[in-house]
Amino acid sequence: MRQIVLLAGLLVFVLAGLALGQEPSTQEELQALKRENAELREKIRQLEQSVDEIKKLVLKEAPAAPAPVPEAAPVAKKEEPPAKKKPSVELYGYIKLDAAYDTSRTDVGDFARWVMPEGPGGHDDEFNLTANQTRVGLNINGPEAGKIKTSGVVEIDFYSLEGGENKPQPMMRQAFLKLDWPEQDFSLLAGQTGDVISPLLPDTINYTVGWWVGNIGYRRPQFRMTKGFDLSGDLKLQMQGAFVRTIGHTTGYDPGDSGEDAGFPTFQGRAALTFPAGEARKATVGLWGHWGQEEYDLDAAGRSAELSTYSIGLDAQIPLAKGVTLQGELWRGANVDAYLGGIGQGFNKATMEEISGMGGWATLTLGPWKNFKFNLGGAVDDPVNRDLASGNRARNMMLLGNVYYNITSAVQVGLEVSPWWTRYINLEEGQSVRVQGTFIYRF
């Protein structure tokens, strides 16, 4: 290319010289010009020849354009399996220290079930301090499978009553899985959790939440179904049914459990109606019951007694005003010691008949107002006296008043005063006033 530029410059220079040259005036000059013209033509011819050779050389050295490559057919991508979603796990619970003073001896002491009969020496006061109600649990959520939501709970505390006071053994409270179909308002639960019956709990500092003194229901292995129905307006109906483990007695001839000996589970059911109860408030009323059977072996000859266990009850939770809620339960049943009713008495061993009875409880909750919450209430468990033997507990009753104060959003203190009365068949009534304080750290 550099040679082309030089030759083109020379040509321009020659042509410019011709244009600027003077017109010849003599014959010699004319002949000289002819010679020069011939020479220039020869040079131009040579120049053109050189340009052609340069062009050929350039074209020869230039790389040939690559042949077009046909496009490859698209390769189907291998579908990656969906990433496996792991469930999320949330730790919850609380650390709780309880200090309790009783003016008379109670059973068990760390918590109150009933008052022991009055002894010859009169009142025998006691003081207990424990952290056994400390509770730890795991909420397990997911993964979702289409329209099904999955969840589960595992929860323990340290009230197994096994081990020393300062080294108690853990006790499993709950361990269940749950499948929810939100669009159908339907769920299935399998595992151990609270009973379908008697679903409410009084807000008391005492660990037993009114058990053995009017509040029945506990926790046991079960398979539960729950279905909700939206009725007209703001009414909602919820139906629950469960097959549960029959917890029986082990003091018969056969050391096995009389509940498992029955050969079938206990059935529990509840129907609850939720309805408006004032501005932005809703009340719920439920009807519930259970039925099961125990086979109590009597001797080696195979004689046995069949004992029924049943209850029918009513629960209600009614907000009376903002920060004021009334709730409670009433029930009637028989052989409900496994449900912590009948003051812990299921049947009369002399007559081999179930102990019938009735009971209930009610509390009025005030608050929370700022950092305070108050509860007032009472409870009673009243077995039928004719079903009892001498020395049995005939009636158990208590009143309660407590206050909680939130030091922070996580730390709470409380104080409860609770008079108790326990009557016996042919024994002195036991009376006690229980004063219990608590420190709670929730997480």
Side-chain angles (χ1 to χ4, degrees), residues 69-393:
V69 177
E71 294 185 3
V75 179
K77 292 185 178 180
K78 183 180 180 181
E79 293 186 3
E80 296 291 336
K84 185 177 180 180
K85 296 182 180 179
K86 295 183 178 180
S88 63
V89 179
E90 177 188 14
L91 178 70
Y92 73 91
Y94 54 76
I95 301 168
K96 188 171 188 276
L97 176 70
D98 290 307
Y101 171 78
D102 293 281
T103 59
S104 290
R105 187 165 294 279
T106 61
D107 185 295
V108 171
D110 280 343
F111 55 84
R113 300 195 294 181
W114 51 77
V115 185
M116 303 301 290
E118 192 68 47
H123 293 294
D124 184 12
D125 62 351
E126 63 180 358
F127 176 81
N128 289 279
L129 188 68
T130 183
N132 287 359
Q133 196 177 335
T134 294
R135 185 178 302 175
V136 179
L138 297 175
N139 278 323
I140 306 166
N141 295 296
E144 295 186 13
K147 297 182 179 180
I148 305 175
K149 291 185 177 181
T150 60
S151 61
V153 168
V154 177
E155 182 181 278
I156 64 170
D157 68 14
F158 299 89
Y159 257 133
S160 64
L161 301 183
E162 299 291 337
E165 178 57 46
N166 62 341
K167 49 181 179 180
Q169 295 182 14
M171 178 186 71
M172 184 181 77
R173 290 173 52 86
Q174 301 188 84
F176 66 83
L177 62 93
K178 189 177 181 182
L179 302 177
D180 276 296
W181 286 262
E183 294 182 3
Q184 287 74 36
D185 198 358
F186 177 75
S187 68
L188 297 175
L189 182 148
Q192 176 165 305
T193 190
D195 288 320
V196 168
I197 69 169
S198 187
L200 303 181
L201 298 173
D203 192 349
T204 172
I205 294 176
N206 187 22
Y207 172 70
T208 63
V209 292
W211 295 327
W212 299 286
V213 66
N215 182 30
I216 64 172
Y218 194 56
R219 301 177 296 271
R220 67 199 76 236
Q222 61 188 269
F223 177 73
R224 178 191 299 185
M225 294 167 284
T226 302
K227 180 72 174 79
F229 301 90
D230 290 322
L231 306 180
S232 60
D234 292 328
L235 298 178
K236 183 172 182 178
L237 176 66
Q238 185 186 70
M239 304 288 290
Q240 291 181 299
F243 294 103
V244 308
R245 170 69 181 261
T246 304
I247 308 296
H249 304 84
T250 58
T251 55
Y253 174 80
D254 186 345
D257 188 294
S258 61
E260 67 183 36
D261 226 11
F264 59 91
T266 294
F267 174 76
Q268 297 183 3
R270 179 175 179 260
L273 185 66
T274 300
F275 53 91
E279 184 178 355
R281 296 190 295 271
K282 292 185 177 181
T284 300
V285 176
L287 178 66
W288 43 264
H290 86 274
W291 182 86
Q293 198 170 71
E294 301 175 48
E295 184 179 313
Y296 193 89
D297 295 326
L298 300 175
D299 53 36
R303 292 191 310 120
S304 63
E306 291 186 350
L307 304 172
S308 295
T309 171
Y310 69 86
S311 71
I312 182 169
L314 179 72
D315 66 81
Q317 190 172 44
I318 303 173
L320 303 178
K322 184 177 180 180
V324 181
T325 302
L326 176 66
Q327 65 172 355
E329 296 175 339
L330 292 171
W331 59 269
R332 178 182 290 274
N335 191 18
V336 289
D337 57 330
Y339 291 83
L340 311 187
I343 326 179
Q345 302 161 133
F347 70 101
N348 188 320
K349 293 181 181 179
T351 64
M352 294 306 298
E353 296 289 338
E354 300 91 348
I355 295 175
S356 301
M358 62 182 298
W361 61 273
T363 59
L364 183 68
T365 300
L366 308 173
W369 296 332
K370 293 186 178 180
N371 293 328
F372 287 93
K373 184 174 70 171
F374 303 87
N375 291 280
L376 299 171
V380 61
D381 191 330
D382 191 10
V384 175
N385 285 9
R386 66 174 177 271
D387 295 339
L388 301 173
S390 180
N392 284 168
R393 294 174 289 274

